[in-house]
Amino acid sequence: MSSLLRELARVPPWALLLVVFALPALEASTLLGVVIPAEIAVLLGGVFAHEGRVPLLAVMAVAALGAVVGDSIGYAVGTKLGPGLFSRASEATRQRLDRAQAFVQRYGGPAVLLGRWVALLRALVPSVAGASGLPYRRFVAYNVAGGTLWAVTVAGIGFLAGAAYARAERYLGWSGVLIAMVLVIVALIIRRRHSR
């Protein structure tokens, strides 16, 4: 992992922040989040903030902005397509949309905030909320709250993970980290076999 981080560290800070903005922005607006969850970029942004490559507050701010903008675009797409959003989808996508619609109908505005924490829902709920007729004023309040809380939490976890990884690597060295990972995997396999 450290070699991957070293390679990514060659990317200019502005490009890192652009990716941290873009993945959350594209997640719901283009439904990219069905394939690639935006947490990856925000977590790595937090790790790079720990390494001093970018400011942590900048990572949190651009991730939150990307999340809010992307979800607002997703909402607009859902409003524009309306119920047609469901009729044009494949069977597998339609089932996902039906689950997201049931979630929005059950929870209303809070579904936008709650859906932010589940990758599939995060990608679908904004469009479904727009198609379902959830008023935009209600949507945007939960969108801003959910996007901001999510960005701060995920970037913070990345920051703390970067600190823990650096500390483990410093104390154990790369071989020690590898041995520890192998031991954890073996313990999980043994535990799984005993539970059968």
Side-chain angles (χ1 to χ4, degrees), residues 12-97:
W14 65 266
L16 292 172
L17 291 174
L18 181 63
V19 170
V20 170
F21 168 82
L23 270 180
L26 293 172
E27 190 170 46
S29 62
T30 64
L31 301 180
L32 179 69
V34 174
V35 181
I36 302 171
E39 279 111 343
I40 295 167
V42 181
L43 278 168
L44 281 176
V47 170
F48 286 125
H50 173 265
E51 294 181 351
R53 297 267 304 133
V54 289
L56 181 59
L57 287 178
V59 171
M60 292 174 173
V62 297
L65 183 63
V68 171
V69 167
D71 283 10
S72 292
I73 293 170
Y75 177 91
V77 168
T79 301
K80 181 84 171 162
L81 295 178
L85 175 71
F86 299 95
S87 63
R88 295 184 185 123
S90 69
E91 184 60 33
T93 303
R94 186 178 169 89
Q95 289 175 355
R96 292 175 178 160
L97 286 168

Side-chain angles (χ1 to χ4, degrees), residues 1-195:
M1 175 148 159
S2 57
S3 62
L4 172 65
L5 291 178
R6 276 195 294 274
E7 288 300 315
L8 289 173
R10 294 180 181 163
V11 176
W14 65 266
L16 292 172
L17 291 174
L18 181 63
V19 170
V20 170
F21 168 82
L23 270 180
L26 293 172
E27 190 170 46
S29 62
T30 64
L31 301 180
L32 179 69
V34 174
V35 181
I36 302 171
E39 279 111 343
I40 295 167
V42 181
L43 278 168
L44 281 176
V47 170
F48 286 125
H50 173 265
E51 294 181 351
R53 297 267 304 133
V54 289
L56 181 59
L57 287 178
V59 171
M60 292 174 173
V62 297
L65 183 63
V68 171
V69 167
D71 283 10
S72 292
I73 293 170
Y75 177 91
V77 168
T79 301
K80 181 84 171 162
L81 295 178
L85 175 71
F86 299 95
S87 63
R88 295 184 185 123
S90 69
E91 184 60 33
T93 303
R94 186 178 169 89
Q95 289 175 355
R96 292 175 178 160
L97 286 168
D98 287 343
R99 277 187 251 140
Q101 184 177 30
F103 185 71
V104 169
Q105 287 174 343
R106 181 172 182 191
Y107 295 104
V112 177
L113 188 139
L114 296 171
R116 167 70 37 204
W117 299 95
V118 179
L120 181 62
L121 290 177
R122 188 170 52 248
L124 297 176
V125 163
S127 297
V128 169
S132 299
L134 182 70
Y136 185 72
R137 276 186 7 186
R138 192 168 161 91
F139 170 84
V140 77
Y142 286 102
N143 182 24
V144 170
T148 302
L149 183 61
W150 173 82
V152 167
T153 302
V154 174
I157 290 170
F159 187 86
L160 294 174
Y165 178 78
R167 193 172 14 252
E169 191 173 35
R170 183 174 51 238
Y171 289 126
L172 300 174
W174 179 244
S175 59
V177 172
L178 190 59
I179 291 168
M181 289 172 61
V182 169
L183 291 174
V184 168
I185 291 169
V186 169
L188 290 173
I189 291 170
I190 292 170
R191 183 173 178 229
R192 189 169 193 205
R193 285 188 181 164
H194 285 291
S195 65

